[in-house]
Amino acid sequence: MKMIIFDMDGTLVNSGSSIANCINYVRSHLGLEPMDKNFILENVNDININSAEFFYNSKTFTPKVTELFEDFYSKNCLVDLHLYDGVKKLLDDLKGEFKFSVATNANSDYARKMLGHLEIDRYFNSILGYNDVSAPKPKPDMINRILDLNSIKKENAQLFGDSTKDTIAAFNAGVDGVLVNWGFSNHNEGAISNIDELRREIEKKFRL
């Protein structure tokens, strides 16, 4: 059997508003000025920054920051949440030939809630988040666990995500990783631009 692994935020779903609102909610409780939504989303996937320091002026994600973030996100993660164009049709068209999984650096409980709200949770054999593994992406733990759970060989899997965290995690697990350019990151080269190109990448990889 073959498997397609998807990142969630910025790949399957546009959750930019809730992410930006959540970060600014935490900032407000820390006495920090709000950041522009686009500025937040341009930087939220940057592998070269310390996110805790960048967004919250803290060396690490303190228990207070984590509690504030999770409390707000649990109540607001469905606000202004949308599937990207063509996602559901792609899943419908390929569901007979592939298993699907989600590997997200979000909490998997919220991921299931969000994907259920958008009525696509039933497509996925596995939905794993940072809370299900020792280390989130770009470490390969999540990808390796998905392969193990579904008895999939690494050469029979392909991952799509909007961040280099996604593709590095895939490569470190020996899985083909492809960047998409409709999410929160703006890649100058080497990324696909729409679902039709994603479909062609799958066809090329698996010779459909």
Side-chain angles (χ1 to χ4, degrees):
M1 194 67 182
K2 303 178 289 290
M3 170 162 279
I4 306 297
I5 304 170
F6 295 96
D7 170 53
M8 185 179 70
D9 298 293
T11 302
L12 293 172
V13 306
N14 186 346
S15 52
S17 291
S18 56
I19 289 172
N21 290 341
C22 192
I23 287 173
N24 276 330
Y25 172 82
V26 177
R27 286 179 61 83
S28 71
H29 279 261
L30 299 175
L32 302 171
E33 292 293 318
M35 288 179 165
D36 177 73
K37 173 185 173 181
N38 291 332
F39 181 74
I40 289 174
L41 297 180
E42 285 166 7
N43 290 281
V44 73
N45 281 331
D46 191 339
I47 201 167
N48 298 310
I49 65 172
N50 177 336
S51 293
E53 191 167 26
F54 188 88
F55 292 115
Y56 309 121
N57 289 0
S58 173
K59 293 292 184 184
T60 61
F61 290 103
T62 64
K64 179 181 179 180
V65 166
T66 301
E67 182 180 351
L68 285 167
F69 188 99
E70 300 227 337
D71 180 60
F72 184 90
Y73 199 68
S74 67
K75 298 170 183 172
N76 295 277
C77 63
L78 304 183
V79 174
D80 200 18
L81 184 69
H82 309 283
L83 284 177
Y84 286 108
D85 289 344
V87 165
K88 189 166 188 301
K89 186 175 189 310
L90 178 83
L91 296 173
D92 265 330
D93 289 348
L94 298 181
K95 64 185 178 184
E97 298 183 65
F98 293 89
K99 289 183 177 181
F100 302 121
S101 285
V102 168
T104 174
N105 276 358
N107 184 299
S108 58
D109 293 333
Y110 304 149
R112 290 187 187 90
K113 180 178 177 181
M114 293 160 72
L115 296 172
H117 175 75
L118 295 170
E119 300 181 343
I120 62 167
D121 56 323
R122 60 189 173 88
Y123 291 99
F124 301 105
N125 291 70
S126 311
I127 299 172
L128 266 64
Y130 78 87
N131 53 306
D132 299 308
V133 291
S134 298
K137 299 174 292 185
K139 297 293 186 182
D141 304 34
M142 213 178 293
I143 314 306
N144 287 330
R145 184 162 181 207
I146 285 173
L147 297 178
D148 289 343
L149 286 171
N150 294 278
S151 300
I152 301 290
K153 295 179 180 178
K154 60 187 177 183
E155 59 267 24
N156 290 332
Q158 189 172 34
L159 177 144
F160 293 90
D162 71 315
S163 167
T164 52
K165 292 179 183 178
D166 301 310
T167 51
I168 291 171
F171 298 150
N172 285 340
V175 169
D176 180 36
V178 180
L179 284 170
V180 308
N181 223 7
W182 56 77
F184 306 147
S185 301
N186 185 20
H187 305 287
N188 293 323
E189 56 184 32
I192 58 174
S193 299
N194 54 59
I195 288 288
D196 288 337
E197 289 183 23
L198 189 153
R199 188 186 295 264
R200 286 196 289 272
E201 287 290 330
I202 293 172
E203 291 170 350
K204 181 171 68 175
K205 162 76 175 174
F206 296 105
R207 299 176 183 174
L208 300 181

